[in-house]
Amino acid sequence: MKQPIKIMRRAILSVCIFVSVTTFAQEPTLPQSDSSQQSIGYLTTQQVPNQQAVVAVESVGMTVSNMDRAVEFYSQVLSFKKVSDVEVLGTGYEQLQGIFGIRLRVVKMQLGEELIELTEYLTPRGKPIPVDSRSNDRWFQHIAIVVKDMDRAYQHLRKFKVQHTSTAPQRLPDWNKAAAGIRAFYFKDPDGHNLEIIYFPPGKGNPKWQKSTNQLFLGIDHTAIVVSSTANSLKFYRDLLGLELVGESINYGTEQEYLNNVQGARLRISGLKSPAGPGIEFLEYLHPTDGRSLPADARPNDLLHWQTTLVVNNVEAIAQRLRLNQSTFISARVVILPEQTLGFKKGILVRDPDGHALRLIEKPEM
């Protein structure tokens, strides 16, 4: 009888070891009390280690067709100042952007404390923005440029004959406590990228926008993106990247319709912040719901491409977390750029649940 007992003991021990190993390897499950976090495998904000969360929104970038024209527009019309102008090429940049044979001209421009990054693909050229793009299409993204005086700013834009999206500047109504008194206007740059100028009355927005100044254009408050599901986007930006949800509102009515130029527009708006840099704002259209998804063949050299650059301390760790949660990547892997011409040593491009591009970068140690 001793031999069968030994065999049984070995079998039980093997099963225990197997269960122990597989349980240890699994991602922790989430509490089920919060419906916005009911997805096995996602980490809550409290579980994102500080050293692995986003530490800053460094810049918001877009692909342009003619760099000289774009620089002239952003400097003359909107008072941005050029801070760098470089050309790059080579295998590392091809791997980062996911496109073979690229040569890029990259210009960084600053307004106040915030940066934009303009990229022209000298080769290969991409596609223009669809002429029938609407504000509720899910490739929509804009930057919100804060102005000291909306009437003066609008007249300034009219002198340069900018292309309207909004019919005129809109004042958000008093019943909307979160946004009462804010004035905004949507328009386009020469390539068709959506832009917004926004005025914050006293008591609204970041207090820095109320400082005394002679400047008309002050800086970038946030970048806004259309999302199909606020809950899914929060899982990505808050629960995986560690950004903080700082405000929510439901916006609708005549003013919102004419601001977005979408009839019947009703939006759930959510604002998120990192420790530094402009915010990221979700625009979820509760109505109408016919906004189109990002084209399946979209690439970074297409003019509809925007990329928001997020600074992290450990890009490998965050990339691994995103892979475990089945995120879509533009870059096949984290790319090391030893020359650091663009100001970072490691980077990777990833898409959020709706296809908006994010560039996660690790800065050189100072």
Side-chain angles (χ1 to χ4, degrees), residues 237-297:
Y237 285 91
R238 181 191 61 190
D239 301 342
L240 293 179
L241 297 179
L243 275 68
E244 179 187 2
L245 177 65
V246 293
E248 295 182 297
S249 67
I250 301 292
N251 287 20
Y252 60 92
T254 302
E255 299 87 358
Q256 194 68 45
E257 293 181 41
Y258 284 113
L259 174 62
N260 298 46
N261 207 355
V262 176
Q263 188 173 12
R266 183 183 181 93
L267 292 82
R268 174 181 288 115
I269 300 179
S270 305
L272 290 90
K273 289 286 288 183
S274 70
I280 295 177
E281 187 174 274
F282 300 159
L283 308 176
E284 180 185 356
Y285 278 79
L286 306 176
H287 184 271
T289 58
D290 60 350
R292 293 165 293 179
S293 299
L294 180 76
D297 62 349

Side-chain angles (χ1 to χ4, degrees), residues 169-304:
Q170 301 294 318
R171 182 189 183 278
L172 300 185
D174 291 337
W175 62 259
N176 188 336
K177 298 301 182 185
I182 292 174
R183 300 182 69 192
F185 172 71
Y186 283 13
F187 62 106
K188 297 180 187 293
D189 77 359
D191 283 308
H193 300 111
N194 287 284
L195 304 170
E196 177 185 32
I197 52 173
I198 187 167
Y199 165 78
F200 291 104
K204 290 289 193 300
N206 191 317
K208 76 177 185 177
W209 304 131
Q210 303 302 326
K211 292 180 180 178
S212 179
T213 178
N214 293 324
Q215 299 295 318
L216 180 57
F217 299 96
L218 305 181
I220 298 171
D221 183 73
H222 63 269
T223 182
I225 57 175
V226 170
V227 303
S228 57
S229 165
T230 298
N232 287 341
S233 293
L234 283 174
K235 291 172 186 175
F236 183 87
Y237 285 91
R238 181 191 61 190
D239 301 342
L240 293 179
L241 297 179
L243 275 68
E244 179 187 2
L245 177 65
V246 293
E248 295 182 297
S249 67
I250 301 292
N251 287 20
Y252 60 92
T254 302
E255 299 87 358
Q256 194 68 45
E257 293 181 41
Y258 284 113
L259 174 62
N260 298 46
N261 207 355
V262 176
Q263 188 173 12
R266 183 183 181 93
L267 292 82
R268 174 181 288 115
I269 300 179
S270 305
L272 290 90
K273 289 286 288 183
S274 70
I280 295 177
E281 187 174 274
F282 300 159
L283 308 176
E284 180 185 356
Y285 278 79
L286 306 176
H287 184 271
T289 58
D290 60 350
R292 293 165 293 179
S293 299
L294 180 76
D297 62 349
R299 300 203 301 169
N301 57 339
D302 295 332
L303 297 187
L304 58 69

Side-chain angles (χ1 to χ4, degrees), residues 101-173:
I102 62 174
R103 184 183 185 98
L104 309 177
R105 181 180 174 192
V106 182
V107 172
K108 290 184 180 180
M109 304 190 74
Q110 185 170 2
L111 181 64
E113 299 173 343
E114 291 77 42
L115 292 168
I116 59 173
E117 185 179 82
L118 308 175
T119 302
E120 179 182 0
Y121 281 75
L122 302 176
T123 179
R125 296 282 181 172
K127 298 186 292 294
I129 296 174
V131 294
D132 61 345
S133 288
R134 302 167 298 176
S135 298
N136 62 326
D137 290 326
R138 288 192 289 278
W139 59 78
F140 177 94
Q141 182 165 355
H142 75 218
I143 51 173
I145 300 165
V146 183
V147 298
K148 196 66 177 177
D149 182 305
M150 177 56 74
D151 292 328
R152 282 178 54 211
Y154 178 61
Q155 290 305 317
H156 177 80
L157 297 182
R158 290 299 303 271
K159 286 194 302 184
F160 287 93
K161 298 180 172 56
V162 300
Q163 182 181 347
H164 285 53
T165 298
S166 307
T167 56
Q170 301 294 318
R171 182 189 183 278
L172 300 185

